[in-house]
Amino acid sequence: MADAAEERYELIVRRLQEVLGGDIIKKVLAEGRTPKCYWGTAPTGKPHIGYFVPLTKIADFLRAGVDVTILLADMHAFLDNLKAPLDLVTQRTKYYKNVLVAVFNSIGVPTSNLKFVEGSSYQLTKDYSLDNFRLCSIVNEHDAKRAGAEVVKQVESPLLSGLLYPGMQALDEQYLGCDFQFGGVDQRKIFIFAEEFLPRLGYAKRAHLMNTMVPGLGGGKMSSSDPNSKIDFLDPPEVVRKKIKSAFCKEGNPDNGVLAFVKAVLMPISQLRLERRHGLDGEEPQQMTVNQLPIAAEGAPEGTLFSVVRSEKFGGSLHYKTYQEIENDFSKKELHPKDLKNAVAEAIISLLSPIQDAYKNDPEWQATATAAYPDPNPKPEVKKKKKKKEKVYHPPPHGQEPQARSEVSPQ
């Protein structure tokens, strides 16, 4: 029993950048209870492929028997420096859910085991509002601003709405009944804030698990607000290839966004697929579609997680079972940036294919996308000029003269 609990814990925390309060999760597992987790996202800009990182990790939680709640934080989206009015946030919330369900399906995660909750469904209640006021009475401006420094858009004169953001995220832990909250490492200051202030309201301290953040294609953070740093889930293949081709990736220097994406996204997804295919940890092997096989070339050695297809004149294809092997070859200049980029671009296109197929086959989702992200610069409608009716000359009957036009108006 103890060994099983330990195995579940290791599955829950593998590949994470940081774990705060891991003993809380261990205690839940040791007592034979089901751990409860929540992961939230604020529906603002269009979600990008960096979301593969947390969503793949959620697959681990589900395999470990964790109850997972996905919070569609519509109120947070509105409060974050008023990035969007409420009517747009409503549409974007629908759009985000469509994307998330499609991504989970593409990586083989059953969405029937997930619970989706909109923040407004409970954040507008009397009890939540009262707790929010209680929290405001013990949190000063400095603490609130510091907690949201990495998440809330920072401006010279911050609005009160942005200062409320961290406190509401802390309260969500109580109202969603979780044992741990999961998020990116950019959420760390909010997690520390929650650990400090929830007990002061008489609520339990939760554990916090953090995944690494995927760098943007040009360096820095991959952000929804910077189109050059990211690849959208609906970007067509030619756009994906163009963006990857222009990404910073200096030969011999492993510190780049392309390799970081291989490490944080492609290798974990490929490992997840391989484990599901072989039914590891006592699970039954699963039938996999072509799009859900490990990211390896046909004929690659067993256990390959990532292949770089190359012509024989350039040394032939390369097959890797670990990320470290890829980085080592790149650092020794045995793997050229162009070959790496080509392989990564094709892997991303393969991942996006089922998501884009789901979008193309769902008119309602398409309508939601148009409503959620209207064209900021719509072309004005050009009114068509009415054609003047052309006068057609009709000659008089044969033998008659045309009637002369009278120059005097009739009385």
Side-chain angles (χ1 to χ4, degrees), residues 98-398:
N98 279 322
V99 170
L100 296 179
V101 169
V103 173
F104 280 127
N105 287 335
S106 76
I107 59 177
V109 177
T111 54
S112 59
N113 295 332
L114 295 168
K115 181 181 179 183
F116 288 88
V117 175
E118 293 181 16
S120 56
S121 67
Y122 65 89
Q123 291 168 345
L124 301 179
T125 63
K126 178 181 177 181
D127 289 344
Y128 189 95
S129 295
L130 181 57
D131 272 342
N132 203 7
F133 291 145
R134 290 173 61 206
L135 192 58
C136 289
S137 71
I138 59 175
V139 175
N140 61 42
E141 177 188 1
H142 174 74
D143 289 337
K145 194 172 181 180
R146 181 182 60 185
E150 302 296 325
V151 178
V152 182
K153 185 176 181 180
Q154 298 299 298
V155 293
E156 186 175 342
S157 182
L159 297 172
L160 286 177
S161 58
L163 298 178
L164 292 175
Y165 193 112
M168 290 177 63
Q169 186 168 335
L171 286 175
D172 291 339
E173 296 182 356
Q174 175 65 24
Y175 280 79
L176 292 174
C178 72
D179 297 300
F180 68 92
Q181 183 181 170
F182 171 54
V185 72
D186 61 336
Q187 306 275 329
R188 192 180 195 280
K189 291 179 180 178
I190 291 182
F191 292 165
I192 296 295
F193 176 95
E195 292 185 6
E196 177 182 354
F197 286 100
L198 277 188
R200 293 174 63 176
L201 294 180
Y203 296 138
K205 178 180 175 181
R206 270 73 176 187
H208 295 97
L209 278 54
M210 288 161 271
N211 62 259
T212 186
M213 301 299 294
V214 179
L217 298 177
K221 180 180 176 181
M222 187 175 287
S223 169
S224 294
S225 59
D226 181 2
N228 294 321
S229 75
K230 66 187 178 79
I231 292 173
D232 287 339
F233 285 112
L234 300 181
D235 276 347
E238 63 272 16
V239 173
V240 173
R241 293 187 183 101
K242 183 178 179 181
K243 287 184 176 181
I244 293 296
K245 184 178 180 181
S246 62
F248 172 77
C249 188
K250 185 179 179 181
E251 185 177 14
N253 179 6
D255 187 15
N256 62 74
V258 180
L259 271 179
F261 188 81
V262 174
K263 181 179 182 180
V265 177
L266 299 184
M267 297 299 277
I269 287 178
S270 203
Q271 183 180 2
L272 172 68
R273 291 175 170 182
L274 185 67
E275 291 172 352
R276 291 176 61 242
R277 184 184 184 186
H278 292 292
L280 301 186
D281 303 326
E283 298 175 347
E284 289 294 322
Q286 299 183 30
Q287 293 293 325
M288 313 289 286
T289 65
V290 173
N291 283 331
Q292 293 179 349
L293 294 174
I295 307 170
E298 188 176 351
E302 183 63 31
T304 298
L305 297 181
F306 186 71
S307 294
V308 176
V309 178
R310 299 189 307 188
S311 168
E312 289 298 330
K313 68 178 181 180
F314 295 119
S317 297
L318 299 169
H319 307 287
Y320 299 101
K321 294 184 178 181
T322 67
Y323 168 75
Q324 196 57 52
E325 293 173 351
I326 303 173
E327 185 176 307
N328 290 344
D329 274 6
F330 191 85
S331 298
K332 293 185 292 185
K333 299 185 179 182
E334 294 178 4
L335 172 58
H336 194 272
K338 182 178 179 181
D339 295 324
L340 174 65
K341 286 183 175 183
N342 288 339
V344 170
E346 296 311 309
I348 292 173
I349 291 168
S350 176
L351 287 176
L352 298 185
S353 178
I355 299 168
Q356 294 176 2
D357 286 344
Y359 176 78
K360 292 172 185 175
N361 294 323
D362 190 341
E364 188 175 340
W365 183 4
Q366 295 169 31
T368 298
T370 302
Y373 301 98
D375 187 347
N377 300 304
K379 294 180 181 179
E381 291 185 13
V382 179
K383 291 184 178 180
K384 293 182 179 179
K385 291 183 178 181
K386 289 184 178 180
K387 286 186 176 181
K388 289 184 178 180
K389 194 172 182 180
E390 294 182 5
K391 293 182 179 180
V392 180
Y393 173 71
H394 297 284
H398 182 69

